[in-house]
Amino acid sequence: MRLATLTLAGALAAQLTAFAQWSNYPTPGVPKLPDGKPNLTGAVPKAADGHPDLTGIWEYFRDRPANAPAPARRPPDSSLGLGPAPAGPNASPFFNIGSLTKDGLPLTPWALALRKSRAAENNKDNPDAHCLPIGLMQLHQHPQPRKIIQTPAVTVILYEAQSGVRQIFTDGRKLPTDPQPWWYGYSIGHWDGDTLVVETSGFRDDVWLDVEGSPLTSTGKMTERFTRVDYGHLNIEITIEDPKAYTKPFTVTVKQRILLNSDLIEFICNENEKDASHLTSK
């Protein structure tokens, strides 16, 4: 039931992205090829302060061979990805972030037991299934788009999924000490050459990194490196540190591409919501 609900949600999200945006309003400033088509490998736009401008509507993108089958909704092995990552294009990192690592997630015994208990209940308590804020790692890979608005003092990311709003402050402030825990934590950023480096801490104790329930706790810290490699492509390298949940830090990379002639739509999960009461364990 849990996975079926998420599968349906993903399918609907893909349809909304394709058909329900502001599809008739052209994106300004798009570089063009000689035939008039968008040149997604064109030059990176620059902000007024000279840094790369990350502003735009972005969608999650996975590199796969043209003839590769669609990614599996669950890892194909019975370990749920707790060991080495499944080979080939069928591993879905949205469901199992461990599929992006060479040797699987370095889970502590506590985190391993928690992840198995969540899987035993069909991951029915995933916040996404209850119209609650989604973990940042899931948002990076969500099929619904996100909008980045960059200014010199703060970069704002608007996530269509669950109508999430995130602020990344680049005005020189430090991360707060002992803050009120938040779903998205507290984020500060600085530029390292052409890469925006973002540090986030102050998470709640019950964040899910993926659908299968890999945890992130209040002892965790996330470091993201946003690099716009050309006009149409954005790479995000993410390092997770959490001594309660992982025996060592681990790093994964996700990719996004520009979504042209489009914009975000409203996402109101709680309106007429009827699914949550039907989510059950095995």
Side-chain angles (χ1 to χ4, degrees), residues 118-248:
R118 288 172 171 175
E121 294 187 333
N122 283 328
N123 306 300
K124 65 181 181 65
D125 292 326
N126 189 302
D128 193 13
H130 299 273
C131 301
L132 294 171
I134 307 170
L136 295 179
M137 191 65 226
Q138 280 190 267
L139 284 171
H140 278 318
Q141 304 172 89
H142 203 281
Q144 290 173 289
R146 69 283 301 144
K147 183 174 189 174
I148 299 179
I149 304 170
Q150 180 178 320
T151 76
V154 62
T155 293
V156 177
I157 305 181
L158 306 177
Y159 300 101
E160 187 171 283
Q162 306 296 5
S163 300
V165 178
R166 181 185 182 197
Q167 298 184 91
I168 300 169
F169 291 98
T170 51
D171 55 5
R173 70 182 68 186
K174 304 297 183 182
L175 287 172
T177 302
D178 193 26
Q180 172 70 31
W182 285 358
W183 293 95
Y184 298 156
Y186 299 75
S187 297
I188 59 171
H190 68 275
W191 288 94
D192 179 11
D194 288 341
T195 294
L196 178 63
V197 181
V198 179
E199 300 173 78
T200 305
S201 62
F203 294 104
R204 288 167 54 104
D205 211 32
D206 55 356
V207 174
W208 293 45
L209 293 179
D210 53 26
V211 173
E212 296 288 356
S214 302
L216 184 66
T217 75
S218 59
T219 66
K221 180 180 179 180
M222 179 181 291
T223 302
E224 300 149 291
R225 297 179 62 87
F226 291 76
T227 304
R228 189 167 185 172
V229 296
D230 54 28
Y231 178 82
H233 300 90
L234 180 68
N235 288 353
I236 310 173
E237 181 188 272
I238 305 129
T239 299
I240 304 292
E241 304 173 63
D242 189 344
K244 182 178 179 180
Y246 303 99
T247 60
K248 60 182 179 180

Side-chain angles (χ1 to χ4, degrees), residues 60 62 71 91-100 141 209-211 254:
Y60 174 60
R62 287 189 68 196
S92 174
F94 180 67
F95 275 66
N96 168 30
I97 188 178
S99 67
L100 292 174
Q141 304 172 89
L209 293 179
D210 53 26
V211 173
V254 299

